[in-house]
């Protein structure tokens, strides 16, 4: 996590600070090659090599592009006979440049402001990732800081001009970190429709649309028919279908991200494809717990395909995805809930009574972690209660132990007024767990 934070927060050391003999143009080439933003780096190794060759030949380089004065000076050196013509061109350029000076300065200021905001988003998102790799604790201080920065970006959107789509993308990333899917999808939509389109933004936008579709559709389940069907159809038309189209933007091209390919496979219920592409995604970015969560959720849908990719419970009940998620996200509430559901389901297929008991204990531990992270939320509490009831029915040899665990959880809940209120509201809104809201 420290290394990732350094990469996000610190600029590379300028080569000229390491050696004064490094020419300015060569330094510009090196800094472009090490730029933080992918779109600011060379597109290919060949482009990098071409720019180095241009520098060796004394030609204008592409890295920084040279100022008009620098370009003129280099051309004069290569072709002294054209000096007079170039001097005239220089004067004409000077005469025509004044009118755009203010606009260019304002654009540079806006771009610097946007870059600062984007770096803030990446840094805070990484801090949240790092926090979720630690034991359960309160993340609210970091989340408060993130919300304040989001407000500052939103207040600046009107001054960003044609850079506003990039500002919306930064906001989408920030709200995604907070798992607030409606504003995240809304800002990703503004960025996409404003022309901010890259493979990474296609992935982020399509996934945010898909999650929002699931959240809103589950909320619509509380409506009576035919209002329920109409609402779900409207949600699918507004978010679900556009999300699938955006995810398919780079399908089949070298630019397609592994996670987008995995989502495409999921739409076709090709779980072997899902696992293959997700494993490639985590090879590139192993800290992305959302990839492991997605694999684990899919493993519950198709255990056979999961087993073919080493993602089903083994003799110890400890698959690759479960182990990674357990080790890298002990402080992530949603990950702990997914682990709890996974262990609970795998207990049903356990080969022995001892294995079943062990898996139920793992499920209980994960749900208790989730409850500790969100002590005032109904969902993890009710999942814990459901697990205890299921264990009392299926793990009779340890019935006394499970009654004690259930009673302890109930006692803890009685000391949490906010939790008691959340559970009561959930039961009024729906039947038990469904009313607690989708995760």
């Amino acid at each position: 996590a420290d290394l990732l934070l350094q990469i996000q927060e610190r600029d590379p050391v300028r080569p000229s600070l390491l050696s004064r003999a490094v020419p300015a143009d060569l330094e510009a080439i090196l800094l472009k090659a090490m730029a933080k933003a992918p779109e600011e780096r060379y597109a290919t190794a060949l482009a990098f090599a071409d720019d180095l060759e241009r520098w060796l030949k004394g030609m204008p380089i592409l890295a920084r592009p040279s100022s008009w004065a620098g370009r003129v000076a280099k051309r004069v050196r290569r072709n002294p006979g054209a000096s007079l013509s170039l001097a005239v061109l220089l004067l004409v350029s000077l005469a025509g440049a004044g009118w755009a000076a203010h606009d260019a300065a304002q654009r540079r200021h806006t771009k610097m402001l946007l870059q600062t905001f984007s770096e803030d988003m990446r840094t805070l998102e990484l801090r949240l990732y790092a926090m979720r790799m630690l034991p359960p604790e309160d993340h609210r201080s970091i989340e408060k800081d993130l919300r304040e920065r989001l407000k500052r970006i939103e207040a600046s959107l009107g001054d960003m001009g044609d850079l506003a789509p990039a500002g919306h993308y930064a906001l989408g990333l920030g709200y995604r970190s907070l798992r607030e899917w409606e504003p995240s999808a809304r800002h990703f939509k503004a960025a996409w429709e404003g022309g901010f389109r890259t493979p990474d933004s296609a992935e982020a936008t399509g996934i945010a649309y898909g999650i929002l579709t699931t959240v809103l559709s589950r909320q619509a389940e509380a409506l009576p028919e035919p209002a329920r069907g109409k609402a779900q159809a409207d949600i699918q038309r507004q978010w679900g279908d556009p999300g699938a189209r955006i995810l398919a933007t780079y399908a089949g091209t070298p630019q397609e991200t592994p996670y987008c390919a995995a989502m495409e496979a999921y739409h076709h219920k090709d779980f072997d494809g899902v696992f293959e592409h997700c494993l490639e995604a985590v090879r590139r970015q192993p800290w992305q717990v959302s990839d492991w969560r997605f694999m684990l959720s899919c493993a519950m849908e198709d255990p056979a395909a999961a087993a073919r990719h080493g993602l089903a419970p083994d003799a110890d009940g400890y698959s690759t995805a479960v182990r990674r998620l357990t080790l890298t996200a002990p402080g992530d509430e949603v990950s702990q809930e997914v682990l709890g559901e996974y262990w609970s389901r795998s207990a049903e297929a356990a080969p022995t009574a001892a294995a079943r008991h062990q898996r139920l204990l793992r499920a209980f531990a994960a749900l208790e972690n989730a409850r500790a992270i969100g002590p005032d939320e109904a969902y993890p509490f009710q999942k814990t209660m459901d697990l205890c009831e299921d264990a009392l029915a299926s793990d009779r040899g340890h019935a006394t132990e499970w009654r004690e665990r259930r009673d302890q959880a109930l006692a803890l809940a009685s000391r949490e007024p906010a939790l008691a209120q959340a559970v009561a509201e959930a039961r009024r809104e729906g039947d038990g767990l469904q009313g607690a809201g989708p995760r």
Side-chain angles (χ1 to χ4, degrees):
D2 288 341
L3 175 60
L4 294 174
L5 285 172
Q6 289 180 39
I7 294 171
Q8 293 288 347
E9 294 178 339
R10 299 182 186 175
D11 288 325
V13 177
R14 300 186 72 88
S16 59
L17 296 178
L18 302 176
S19 171
R20 294 181 180 179
V22 177
D25 280 357
L26 179 58
E27 179 176 77
I29 292 173
L30 295 174
L31 291 176
K32 180 177 178 66
M34 295 188 292
K36 290 184 182 298
E39 64 273 12
E40 294 178 3
R41 296 195 291 269
Y42 291 100
T44 65
L46 181 60
F48 185 16
D50 287 344
D51 220 8
L52 286 169
E53 187 170 0
R54 294 172 71 87
W55 172 73
L56 288 170
K57 294 178 177 179
M59 300 171 64
I61 62 170
L62 303 177
R64 182 191 49 193
S66 303
S67 65
W68 53 267
R71 290 196 298 272
V72 169
K74 288 182 179 180
R75 289 182 182 178
V76 167
R77 286 196 298 269
R78 290 202 311 273
N79 189 359
S83 298
L84 181 60
S85 297
L86 289 174
V88 173
L89 177 61
L90 176 61
L91 291 173
V92 172
S93 298
L94 280 170
W99 68 271
H102 176 73
D103 182 67
Q106 181 64 33
R107 182 175 177 82
R108 283 196 301 272
H109 172 73
T110 301
K111 188 172 182 178
M112 289 176 60
L113 184 67
L114 181 59
Q115 182 176 359
T116 300
F117 285 148
S118 297
E119 289 176 356
D120 284 350
M121 290 301 100
R122 289 195 293 268
T123 299
L124 285 168
E125 187 172 31
L126 197 56
R127 285 177 65 191
L128 280 171
Y129 273 128
M131 288 288 289
R132 289 164 182 159
M133 293 170 66
L134 300 173
E137 59 180 281
D138 196 336
H139 303 154
R140 280 176 289 191
S141 62
I142 295 180
E143 292 178 356
K144 180 181 178 182
D145 192 8
L146 178 54
R147 290 181 193 282
E148 290 174 355
R149 299 189 189 212
L150 289 172
K151 288 180 182 178
R152 290 203 294 271
I153 298 177
E154 288 185 292
S156 303
L157 281 174
D159 299 325
M160 290 185 181
D162 59 355
L163 294 175
H168 281 291
Y169 182 67
L171 287 165
L173 293 175
Y175 283 111
R176 182 183 70 178
S177 298
L178 294 170
R179 292 175 178 147
E180 295 185 5
W181 298 109
E182 190 280 328
S184 176
R186 175 165 46 83
H187 284 294
F188 280 142
K189 179 180 181 180
W192 186 263
E193 293 180 349
F196 191 90
R197 300 186 178 187
T198 67
D200 286 338
S201 71
E203 175 183 306
T205 304
I207 291 172
Y209 279 28
I211 294 176
L212 181 60
T213 299
T214 301
V215 170
L216 296 178
S217 295
R218 288 182 181 174
Q219 290 175 352
E221 289 176 2
L223 298 173
E225 289 290 4
R228 180 197 310 162
K230 181 180 183 304
Q232 291 178 332
D234 290 342
I235 292 165
Q236 182 65 30
R237 183 168 53 254
Q238 182 179 2
W239 298 108
D241 295 337
R245 288 195 293 271
I246 291 172
L247 281 172
T249 301
Y250 298 96
T253 72
Q255 293 178 294
E256 183 179 33
T257 67
Y259 198 83
C260 274
M263 293 298 294
E264 277 289 296
Y266 182 77
H267 283 309
H268 297 95
K269 297 303 178 184
D270 172 17
F271 287 99
D272 284 299
V274 169
F275 296 129
E276 178 183 344
H277 293 301
C278 274
L279 287 169
E280 173 60 25
V282 297
R283 275 193 288 270
R284 298 186 185 186
Q285 295 180 314
W287 63 86
Q288 291 281 24
V289 296
S290 58
D291 296 348
W292 293 108
R293 280 203 308 266
F294 182 46
M295 279 191 279
L296 206 57
S297 298
C298 291
M300 289 185 268
E301 291 193 51
D302 192 338
R308 288 194 291 272
H309 294 269
L311 298 170
D314 56 19
D316 298 324
Y318 220 47
S319 76
T320 301
V322 172
R323 184 170 63 253
R324 284 298 186 95
L325 205 56
T326 302
L327 294 174
T328 59
D332 180 29
E333 182 180 353
V334 177
S335 295
Q336 293 301 309
E337 291 170 3
V338 171
L339 283 168
E341 183 177 1
Y342 175 83
W343 285 122
S344 179
R345 289 195 186 185
S346 69
E348 300 171 4
T352 65
R356 179 170 63 251
H357 179 62
Q358 186 64 29
R359 294 180 185 188
L360 287 170
L361 289 177
R362 290 181 187 271
F364 183 82
L367 292 173
E368 279 294 275
N369 277 346
R371 191 193 59 76
I373 299 166
D376 57 352
E377 295 188 14
Y379 187 90
F381 169 75
Q382 291 203 194
K383 289 292 287 184
T384 300
M385 291 295 98
D386 291 345
L387 175 68
C388 289
E389 295 299 330
D390 291 343
L392 282 168
S394 62
D395 193 18
R396 297 182 183 277
H398 301 86
T400 301
E401 178 184 346
W402 285 110
R403 286 194 190 92
E404 291 176 353
R405 292 180 182 277
R406 181 191 60 188
D407 293 344
Q408 288 172 0
L410 286 169
L412 286 172
S414 67
R415 295 196 291 270
E416 292 281 353
L419 174 59
Q421 181 179 354
V423 171
E425 290 176 355
R427 287 173 176 166
R428 282 197 301 271
E429 292 173 5
D431 180 16
L433 190 57
Q434 278 71 27
R439 304 297 295 166

